[in-house]
Amino acid sequence: MSLYSQLMTDYKHAVEMTFVADARYKMFLSGLGVTLEITVGALLLGVLIGTTVAILRVYHHQTGRMKFLNFLMNCYLTIFRGTPVVVQLMIWYFVVFMSLNNPILVAIVAFGVNSGAYVAEIARAGIMAVDIGQTEAGRSLGLSAWQTMRFIVLPQAFKNVLPALSNELISLLKETSVVGYIAVVDLTKAADLVRARTFQAFMPLLFVAVTYLLMVLILTQFQRLLEARLRESDRRLAK
Amino acid sequence: MEKTTQAMIEVQELHKSFGEHEVLSGITETIQKGEKVVVIGPSGSGKSTFLRCLNLLETPTSGRIFVNGVEITRKGCKVDLLRQKMGMVFQHFNLFPHKTILENITLAPVQLKLMSRKDAVDKAMSLLTRIGLADRAASYPSMLSGGQKQRVAIVRALAMNPEVMLFDEPTSALDPEMVGEVLSLMKDLADAGMTMIVVTHEMGFAREVANRVLFMDGGKILEQNTPKEFFANPQHPRLHDFLAKVL
């Protein structure tokens, strides 16, 4: 019984030190906010870049035009998929934006540009999986190439790639945990700072691990709902 | 070039190659307003490619095409405007699976700002009523039969008020029992005076509806005639051969 009460005492002590003392829970909360801010910002930037690159690359593939731009886009994909994101992050922060004192913005750019390279390939696969007859039908009605892409091809492509896109978002969320390298205090860095101050390692790290896991579970659930909604048009029975 | 009677579509020395392979080897043809022209021929004869060149879904390798006297093959031609006036119906329907039947029909007129949303819906509903599918307006294409899909695809093209309709083997992907409903809609259209160019294997339709039947093989129009003469007195040995096999 004394072993049990000893454990309980240690546990209470750890919780007290990690979250309560000096109101350290606030560090976790603000860290969580930073993690979400970077993830959402990078997601939007990544989807914007990725979709644009994918459309241009499909256009090049179909028409053979814009060879030089396609070459540049290939370089982009190769470089950003071929180097570690944490190295890219440091290059953006310490080299490219060395005079900009806004590390969160730099993190959004770094993760967004990196994610864009992955989204570009996901989106390209999704666009190319849509039957060419869909494009022909749109164009034959007099819609422009862009209108056909926007109203006919992209919605179907998005439905095709939703699982892959959701994977990318999950990776992105977890990858942001390296922003501590450029002195941003996100969820992970907050836990690390608390660990260093309290000499309690297990409690803060367990807490952030569970928090990431919960966020991923919520995202997965959200993806399921969205997917079910988009599959509405596949149902064979009339309502 | 001034012309006294302006043809709807005029094709001059049309060539089309895919790489080394020449699919169209010099087609010259004129189609008048209100004509119903049926194009038949074996697979690979170039008939679908010919049709797809007319609204520039395929870019001709050489030759010129005029629509209402305007050359559409010259550089800088407003292709999208041209296509608004040329409806096309595909073998595989190509309805938009993520849109309801009603949205399939109204999408182009509304996005191209040719009609207000309300007018487009009214027009779509009256067209759907005409083909007996008004009650399916809110359904998705996956819920329709093949024949229903193709009739909706025809109506979708009609919603643009086209001056000419191109049909690319519209019944080839249908179950035999559904061919009739599609052909009868096409016949109604023909009776209403629509200019139509139809690539098909339906000889009965050619016989009954066409003003003129063209026979294509090897990328050329080998023979053309009124349906009566075409089927009763085929001249070209290749056409003899073809008709012997299909009739």
Side-chain angles (χ1 to χ4, degrees):
Chain A
M1 228 31 188
S2 79
L3 179 64
Y4 174 75
S5 47
Q6 181 60 43
L7 279 175
M8 280 310 287
T9 315
D10 284 357
Y11 171 76
K12 277 180 189 152
H13 179 66
V15 170
E16 161 78 23
M17 290 293 285
T18 305
F19 300 110
V20 185
D22 294 342
R24 291 197 179 106
Y25 69 92
K26 283 186 183 161
M27 290 179 70
F28 287 101
L29 276 182
S30 95
L32 177 64
V34 168
T35 292
L36 291 174
E37 190 183 341
I38 296 172
T39 305
V40 171
L43 173 75
L44 295 178
L45 185 60
V47 167
L48 185 72
I49 295 174
T51 311
T52 309
V53 169
I55 291 172
L56 292 173
R57 270 166 57 83
V58 170
Y59 181 75
H60 166 78
H61 179 81
Q62 285 172 351
T63 62
R65 283 185 221 165
M66 307 192 307
K67 283 203 175 67
F68 184 65
L69 188 60
N70 188 59
F71 169 75
L72 289 182
M73 292 187 294
N74 268 325
C75 292
Y76 162 66
L77 296 181
T78 307
I79 292 168
F80 285 89
R81 291 192 304 163
T83 56
V85 69
V86 65
V87 175
Q88 294 169 24
L89 179 70
M90 289 194 285
I91 291 174
W92 284 112
Y93 185 65
F94 295 114
V95 183
V96 182
F97 288 137
M98 55 188 281
S99 55
L100 182 73
N101 193 22
N102 186 344
I104 292 183
L105 184 64
V106 174
I108 289 174
V109 170
F111 287 108
V113 172
N114 178 261
S115 182
Y118 290 92
V119 173
E121 288 299 88
I122 294 172
R124 190 168 68 94
I127 291 169
M128 287 176 56
V130 176
D131 182 39
I132 187 74
Q134 292 290 308
T135 303
E136 289 181 353
R139 297 307 303 275
S140 80
L141 288 165
L143 296 172
S144 68
W146 167 243
Q147 286 171 318
T148 304
M149 184 55 79
R150 157 122 171 53
F151 296 111
I152 296 165
V153 178
L154 282 185
Q156 296 183 58
F158 180 71
K159 190 162 99 175
N160 292 343
V161 301
L162 190 61
L165 212 52
S166 160
N167 250 350
E168 172 55 25
L169 175 56
I170 288 170
S171 311
L172 176 64
L173 171 71
K174 293 181 300 179
E175 269 176 5
T176 61
S177 62
V178 299
V179 284
Y181 273 90
I182 60 166
V184 172
V185 182
D186 71 325
L187 186 59
T188 304
K189 190 66 185 176
D192 197 43
L193 290 175
V194 170
R195 180 193 60 76
R197 266 177 226 171
T198 60
F199 301 106
Q200 297 281 344
F202 183 61
M203 188 55 63
L205 292 175
L206 178 72
F207 175 75
V208 294
V210 170
T211 307
Y212 279 111
L213 183 62
L214 282 177
M215 288 193 287
V216 169
L217 289 176
I218 291 169
L219 283 177
T220 313
Q221 197 54 37
F222 181 68
Q223 176 213 337
R224 283 204 189 113
L225 288 174
L226 188 59
E227 214 171 312
R229 225 188 106 91
L230 291 175
R231 297 257 166 240
E232 203 172 293
S233 59
D234 293 346
R235 276 189 296 148
R236 300 198 62 86
L237 293 171
K239 274 173 277 183
Chain B
M1 203 169 13
E2 279 295 317
K3 292 194 200 72
T4 42
T5 53
Q6 195 173 72
M8 179 101 224
I9 296 175
E10 190 173 338
V11 180
Q12 297 173 352
E13 270 304 307
L14 179 64
H15 287 258
K16 173 69 184 175
S17 303
F18 293 105
E20 293 292 290
H21 181 60
E22 188 169 58
V23 184
L24 296 179
S25 330
I27 304 245
T28 298
E29 187 54 59
T30 304
I31 290 154
Q32 303 296 336
K33 191 168 169 55
E35 257 197 311
K36 296 101 188 58
V37 175
V38 170
V39 185
I40 66 171
S43 339
S45 59
K47 51 196 192 313
S48 281
T49 306
F50 168 58
L51 196 72
R52 290 160 57 85
C53 279
L54 296 181
N55 68 350
L56 299 182
L57 278 186
E58 303 290 353
T59 312
T61 311
S62 69
R64 307 209 292 173
I65 302 172
F66 297 83
V67 174
N68 285 332
V70 177
E71 183 179 352
I72 63 169
T73 34
R74 93 188 126 69
K75 274 206 158 110
C77 168
K78 298 253 190 299
V79 183
D80 295 338
L81 285 176
L82 160 80
R83 289 183 180 137
Q84 291 179 16
K85 292 290 150 207
M86 297 180 97
M88 183 152 199
V89 176
F90 300 86
Q91 182 178 355
H92 296 288
F93 330 132
N94 299 351
L95 292 180
F96 309 132
H98 61 302
K99 301 260 178 217
T100 64
I101 300 308
L102 186 66
E103 289 165 346
N104 261 276
I105 302 170
T106 56
L107 176 73
V110 172
Q111 289 305 332
L112 294 168
K113 300 190 166 51
L114 301 174
M115 288 182 212
S116 70
R117 187 169 296 274
K118 189 187 168 301
D119 289 349
V121 168
D122 288 348
K123 167 127 191 162
M125 287 313 292
S126 84
L127 285 165
L128 282 174
T129 305
R130 213 168 98 192
I131 60 168
L133 290 176
D135 58 329
R136 310 307 298 273
S139 305
Y140 286 95
S142 62
M143 301 160 186
L144 301 190
S145 73
Q148 290 174 328
K149 281 183 202 170
Q150 193 61 300
R151 287 187 291 141
V152 169
I154 293 172
V155 159
R156 177 175 70 179
L158 290 178
M160 295 293 293
N161 296 318
E163 291 172 18
V164 52
M165 288 281 286
L166 311 175
F167 293 84
D168 189 3
E169 303 202 22
T171 57
S172 299
L174 293 175
D175 289 343
E177 67 208 279
M178 292 169 181
V179 171
E181 57 186 275
V182 171
L183 290 182
S184 108
L185 173 59
M186 289 167 62
K187 192 167 176 307
D188 288 350
L189 261 185
D191 292 343
M194 178 65 76
T195 311
M196 293 164 67
I197 305 169
V198 185
V199 170
T200 187
H201 295 293
E202 294 292 330
M203 300 302 152
F205 180 82
R207 216 188 287 259
E208 201 179 339
V209 178
N211 304 118
R212 234 171 358 124
V213 185
L214 311 185
F215 176 68
M216 279 185 72
D217 192 24
K220 284 194 161 79
I221 297 174
L222 293 186
E223 184 161 341
Q224 59 166 297
N225 217 324
T226 59
K228 201 167 167 224
E229 284 298 302
F230 184 90
F231 289 107
N233 290 313
Q235 304 297 311
H236 201 283
R238 192 65 194 84
L239 176 57
H240 259 288
D241 218 35
F242 181 77
L243 289 178
K245 279 180 192 149
V246 298
L247 289 181

